[in-house]
Amino acid sequence: MPRLAASVQYDGSRYHGWQSLKSGLPSVQAAVEKALSKVANHPVSVVCAGRTDAGVHGCNQIIHFDTEAVRSGYGWTFGGNTHLPDDITFNWVQPVSEDFHARYSAQWRRYRYVILNRPVRPAHLPKGVTFYYRPLDVELMNIAGQFLVGEHDFDSYRAVQCQAKHAVREIQYLNIYRHGDMVVIDVRANAFLHHMVRNITGVLLEVGAGRKPPVWAREVLDARKRSEGGATAKPYGLYFVDVGYPKEYELPKSEPNPFFVASALPW
């Protein structure tokens, strides 16, 4: 059957993560498969680039699926969107070669974690950002973050229940920016472990608040024990923003996201 790729954006606030659950609790995958199945007039199963946890958002989650149905890219995109809830949207759908795989063809993944750093909690986007009232020193956070760049064993930075066979990953860059009250952690790696970005954020918050020195990030890394790290940051400020694939697949370039901070920061 022909293979198609698609880009999906979603607000993860009311979903129990990306992956479909046997319990029937709402998931992004279940909603996406339901919408595509209606357009295709047959059951459709999708594979994603990277599963996100409950409450985590997606800006450019890439999926692939196989179908016998013949529809235009416009038909898949806008037909699918008519069957999706308001907090999930297809950005685009297009044919790809049969050897394309949303997960295994990916060369890197990119996340951004958005922190609202001010004394007063927000009334708007309460689950679109993480509120942190203690003043944060972005310069110290950047110093700490550089200890994590490169290929390392990130055992201290993954969830206890992580099922990955090993914890070796390569962080290609990790930068922190401030624009007014907004602090954004921007990180790209070949792959991520369960809760890896949220656990990195937990350490960086401790450093930024002056509770720990920047070198603590490396000390946590070297310990290779989750118990040596900081608290797991909340999911609500975390966005899966981009995935990289070989140029031969000719996938559309993603826009800077999330949209409400894109124009303010040096992406």
Side-chain angles (χ1 to χ4, degrees):
M1 289 190 292
R3 177 159 293 184
L4 291 99
S7 169
V8 188
Q9 61 174 295
Y10 51 91
D11 181 331
S13 302
R14 70 182 187 92
Y15 297 97
H16 291 257
W18 167 269
Q19 189 173 11
S20 294
L21 302 170
K22 293 181 180 179
S23 63
L25 291 170
S27 71
V28 181
Q29 181 182 2
V32 166
E33 290 179 342
K34 182 178 179 181
L36 290 174
S37 296
K38 288 185 176 180
V39 178
N41 291 323
H42 68 73
V44 171
S45 297
V46 306
V47 176
C48 74
R51 293 177 294 180
T52 51
D53 295 334
V56 176
H57 314 297
C59 301
N60 186 40
Q61 171 72 266
I62 301 299
I63 64 172
H64 81 254
F65 61 97
D66 298 327
T67 177
E68 296 177 346
V70 178
R71 309 283 187 271
S72 66
Y74 181 94
W76 282 112
T77 303
F78 292 94
N81 284 340
T82 62
H83 298 294
L84 284 170
D86 292 342
D87 49 9
I88 305 176
T89 301
F90 290 118
N91 295 316
W92 51 260
V93 182
Q94 71 173 44
V96 286
S97 59
E98 62 181 16
D99 67 329
F100 175 82
H101 194 284
R103 178 182 176 188
Y104 296 124
S105 299
Q107 298 173 316
W108 49 262
R109 285 90 171 160
R110 186 176 184 179
Y111 281 88
R112 292 191 179 117
Y113 195 99
V114 183
I115 303 160
L116 184 64
N117 184 216
R118 67 182 192 185
V120 181
R121 63 178 175 83
H124 304 293
L125 294 175
K127 292 188 177 181
V129 298
T130 281
F131 168 61
Y132 195 82
Y133 69 91
R134 294 187 180 92
L136 293 173
D137 187 320
V138 170
E139 183 176 351
L140 291 179
M141 293 171 74
N142 265 310
I143 293 171
Q146 300 321 298
F147 289 117
L148 306 180
V149 174
E151 186 176 84
H152 304 286
D153 185 320
F154 284 95
D155 212 19
S156 294
Y157 287 94
R158 65 168 168 171
V160 173
Q161 65 269 35
C162 179
Q163 297 179 354
K165 294 180 180 179
H166 63 83
V168 176
R169 297 292 187 271
E170 181 190 12
I171 290 183
Q172 297 165 350
Y173 63 75
L174 198 171
N175 298 307
I176 300 97
Y177 307 99
R178 175 183 284 279
H179 184 81
D181 292 334
M182 205 82 71
V183 173
V184 179
I185 299 170
D186 189 4
V187 56
R188 194 178 93 174
N190 61 340
F192 289 90
L193 299 158
H194 190 195
H195 286 178
M196 182 172 163
V197 179
R198 292 169 60 188
N199 289 335
I200 288 173
T201 300
V203 166
L204 294 179
L205 287 173
E206 290 289 288
V207 172
R211 296 182 164 209
K212 295 285 187 179
V215 73
W216 184 56
R218 186 180 66 188
E219 292 170 351
V220 171
L221 182 71
D222 292 342
R224 297 183 183 178
K225 291 182 180 179
R226 177 67 196 106
S227 58
E228 297 298 314
T232 301
K234 295 178 181 179
Y236 301 124
L238 184 56
Y239 293 79
F240 184 94
V241 297
D242 207 359
V243 194
Y245 294 97
K247 292 182 180 180
E248 64 196 66
Y249 294 119
E250 299 182 337
L251 298 186
K253 186 177 180 180
S254 68
E255 296 296 324
N257 275 298
F259 73 91
F260 59 90
V261 297
S263 63
L265 298 173
W267 303 133

